[in-house]
Amino acid sequence: MTDRPVRRLIAGLAVVTAALAVVVAVPSTTRAQVAARVESQTRPNFGVLLTPPTRGVRGHSNHRRYDYRRDHRPDWRPEFRHQGSEEIVLIDCGGNPGTGAVEDAVRRVRPGGTLVIRARGGPCVGWLNIDKPMVVIGEGGFDPRDWDRNPAPTLQAPDGLPCITVAEGVRVEIRDVVFASPHGGDAACVVSYGAEIIMNRVGFRHGGDEAAIYADGGLLDIRNAVIDARTIAPAVVADGAVLTAYELVVTGAQTAVELTPGAGQTSTISASTFKGTGTPNSFGPRSIGVIVRSGREYGRVDIDNTAILGYVEGIAIEGASVAIRNSRIGRSDKGVVLYNGEVRLEGSRIRASTLGVAAASGHAIITDNVFAGVQQVIFAEDRATVEASGNRVWSQTVCRPTFHDRYRGRYEPRWNNGNGWSCVNAPYPRDWWDAEDGMLGLPYQDDGYHLDGYDDYQNGSGWYDRDGRYIEDRRYTGDARWNRSGGWFH
């Protein structure tokens, strides 16, 4: 063998050895990333095929279901239980963004323990990711009646993140805490999936594109609370959750409460006040005080002793059984709108510029209510059935009388009452106004129709001409004015 073939063999072996070295030098992580990328691009997404399409609702945007693991924080793992060992954990964390003190304090609390938040040097900044039962208490306390004078937050969410997330099956009690999420973006302040959240004496200042409180299933019990939500989304969303709201005040949001009741326990809203902007919205979803959506099961909602003011639609029902009692709806375009389902409206006061009750389909029972300012008291389409009785109306449009010739050119006024309602010929009570539109700072407005000279006419003096002008004549009173002194010959 000559030297030339030997050198060629040695050179070939060197090339092969170098190529193998290059392959071995490539990190295994790189190969894994490439393989994962190829697998994710070729694997069919069966989750999309199994997920039913979101339902469409008349004129209202569909509310996006939250997924913080996918959209915000991939490290959120609520199923991984951090079993702390301390019964009571006190955190003093005034103005500490980025330190992780809040998150660490939650991990230190044992299941069933208590987290006490002290914020003397400014709000605690962090995210309470709660994956075990516990109690959260603010040290300074909170009085909803002193909300405007003492609005300092106890816990503030980082920008674009929630204040609290509660894992499925977890029960958490929160009291005497003020939450702030001024730059929430796509994140709600409170989020839960199948959890039980009990709140008492709490406040919220929320700004963003989504709700202040979002509960998907489970239970949401909120009492003695104030929510100032600067958002076009509803302030509170209970999607399949049992909602109990007592003495809840909501301001600022395009919609106060969006509720999809389940088939279990009845959701209740009582002794609460919801204040809208008082003006029609020119963009986004329509402004609604309380919207009750249809779910897979036919649920029930009770609304009692609640004021709903300043929304285009006071209460909108899109497929459930809703009972409204002793409540007030003011500064609205339509008071109660029944798109489907059933509603029982009793002993309430409705102030609306267009319709008191509008029923597209379903069944409505309307008894012993007061309607003011309406152009039409009750409107029902062919698919709706309405039972109405004992309702009273103050309206300068509906309650205009017609004049009938009683005796030789002497006319008397007659009010044409509707099906289940009658007009009231008296000024609208000022104390009622104060408890309705007056709560929005608006000056008193009397919606009653006042006929000139009607007081004297009721006392038996004078009559009216065919155009409704009062003719004063005190010579004959009572029934004598109809058959004495002439008529046309007077």
Side-chain angles (χ1 to χ4, degrees):
M1 180 181 292
T2 62
D3 294 338
R4 179 175 296 177
V6 173
R7 287 196 298 269
R8 288 180 179 178
L9 179 61
I10 294 173
L13 291 175
V15 171
V16 172
T17 303
L20 291 175
V22 170
V23 172
V24 173
V26 176
S28 60
T29 57
T30 302
R31 293 198 302 272
Q33 292 174 359
V34 172
R37 188 180 302 112
V38 172
E39 193 270 343
S40 66
Q41 293 173 353
T42 58
R43 182 184 59 229
N45 189 349
F46 293 101
V48 174
L49 300 177
L50 296 176
T51 302
T54 56
R55 58 186 179 273
V57 183
R58 301 181 180 216
H60 201 284
S61 64
N62 294 320
H63 193 83
R64 184 177 63 82
R65 296 174 66 87
Y66 297 94
D67 190 340
Y68 282 95
R69 183 179 312 186
R70 180 190 65 198
D71 298 339
H72 298 286
R73 286 286 294 269
D75 59 338
W76 183 44
R77 298 290 188 271
E79 68 273 14
F80 294 164
R81 308 285 175 168
H82 300 288
Q83 303 295 341
S85 59
E86 300 182 41
E87 176 69 25
I88 299 177
V89 175
L90 171 64
I91 176 173
D92 193 345
C93 53
N96 60 343
T99 63
V102 174
E103 292 79 359
D104 181 67
V106 174
R107 287 190 289 268
R108 289 160 50 197
V109 179
R110 75 167 183 83
T114 301
L115 173 65
V116 181
I117 301 177
R118 176 189 296 167
R120 295 180 178 177
C124 295
V125 180
W127 174 8
L128 298 180
N129 185 14
I130 299 176
D131 56 6
K132 54 197 167 187
M134 67 169 59
V135 178
V136 180
I137 302 175
E139 187 192 53
F142 174 72
D143 186 355
R145 297 167 298 180
D146 197 32
W147 167 257
D148 293 332
R149 290 181 294 175
N150 186 23
T154 304
L155 177 69
Q156 180 172 321
D159 292 352
L161 293 177
C163 309
I164 299 178
T165 50
V166 185
E168 184 176 0
V170 172
R171 177 185 174 92
V172 58
E173 298 182 22
I174 304 169
R175 59 179 181 266
D176 295 320
V177 181
V178 180
F179 296 97
S181 48
H183 306 289
D186 289 336
C189 186
V190 176
V191 182
S192 68
Y193 293 95
E196 295 185 5
I197 301 180
I198 295 90
M199 298 183 180
N200 192 10
R201 299 190 303 272
V202 294
F204 291 88
R205 290 193 180 277
H206 174 71
D209 299 329
E210 298 295 349
I213 301 176
Y214 179 84
D216 187 347
L219 180 144
L220 175 61
D221 189 313
I222 181 167
R223 304 166 186 259
N224 305 299
V226 180
I227 301 176
D228 183 13
R230 306 296 172 175
T231 173
I232 61 173
V236 178
V237 175
D239 190 354
V242 177
L243 172 67
T244 300
Y246 177 77
E247 291 193 355
L248 170 65
V249 177
V250 177
T251 60
Q254 194 90 327
T255 294
V257 175
E258 179 183 309
L259 176 59
T260 305
Q265 184 178 349
T266 301
S267 293
T268 61
I269 301 173
S270 59
S272 298
T273 301
F274 305 148
K275 296 181 182 180
T277 59
T279 56
N281 52 307
S282 58
F283 67 94
R286 68 191 188 276
S287 174
I288 302 175
V290 176
I291 179 169
V292 182
R293 295 191 183 278
S294 61
R296 296 183 183 275
E297 295 87 12
Y298 194 72
R300 289 185 53 85
V301 179
D302 285 348
I303 301 175
D304 183 67
N305 192 26
T306 293
I308 302 172
L309 312 168
Y311 300 93
V312 174
E313 296 179 13
I315 299 175
I317 303 163
E318 299 179 344
S321 178
V322 180
I324 306 167
R325 303 181 183 90
N326 305 316
S327 295
R328 307 179 303 279
I329 298 175
R331 194 66 176 180
S332 63
D333 183 60
K334 303 178 185 68
V336 177
V337 183
L338 178 65
Y339 293 105
N340 196 11
E342 56 185 345
V343 61
R344 179 181 291 272
L345 179 64
E346 296 178 342
S348 300
R349 299 199 300 267
I350 312 295
R351 295 186 56 84
S353 60
T354 305
L355 296 173
V357 176
S361 66
H363 184 64
I365 300 175
I366 308 166
T367 57
D368 301 326
N369 302 287
V370 169
F371 295 92
V374 295
Q375 297 180 12
Q376 188 172 349
V377 181
I378 300 171
F379 171 79
E381 296 184 5
D382 295 337
R383 296 178 298 164
T385 58
V386 175
E387 300 177 37
S389 63
N391 300 289
R392 296 175 293 165
V393 179
W394 276 260
S395 172
Q396 297 183 10
T397 302
V398 175
C399 293
R400 287 184 175 273
T402 57
F403 296 90
H404 297 264
D405 190 357
R406 180 164 178 177
Y407 178 76
R408 296 187 174 182
R410 299 181 184 185
Y411 289 77
E412 65 176 354
R414 294 180 185 175
W415 277 264
N416 298 320
N417 297 323
N419 183 15
W421 55 267
S422 59
C423 289
V424 179
N425 303 308
Y428 192 77
R430 188 177 291 269
D431 58 335
W432 289 2
W433 172 275
D434 293 338
E436 297 160 2
D437 291 25
M439 296 181 64
L440 300 175
L442 300 174
Y444 172 74
Q445 176 181 334
D446 184 8
D447 287 315
Y449 181 82
H450 302 287
L451 188 60
D452 184 38
Y454 189 67
D455 291 340
D456 292 337
Y457 174 83
Q458 284 186 308
N459 291 329
S461 299
W463 58 85
Y464 291 89
D465 65 12
R466 62 184 303 171
D467 296 322
R469 290 186 294 265
Y470 177 66
I471 308 300
E472 184 178 0
D473 190 338
R474 300 184 182 278
R475 291 178 300 169
Y476 301 99
T477 60
D479 289 339
R481 59 182 159 172
W482 304 119
N483 54 23
R484 300 281 183 90
S485 189
W488 288 329
F489 303 99
H490 177 64

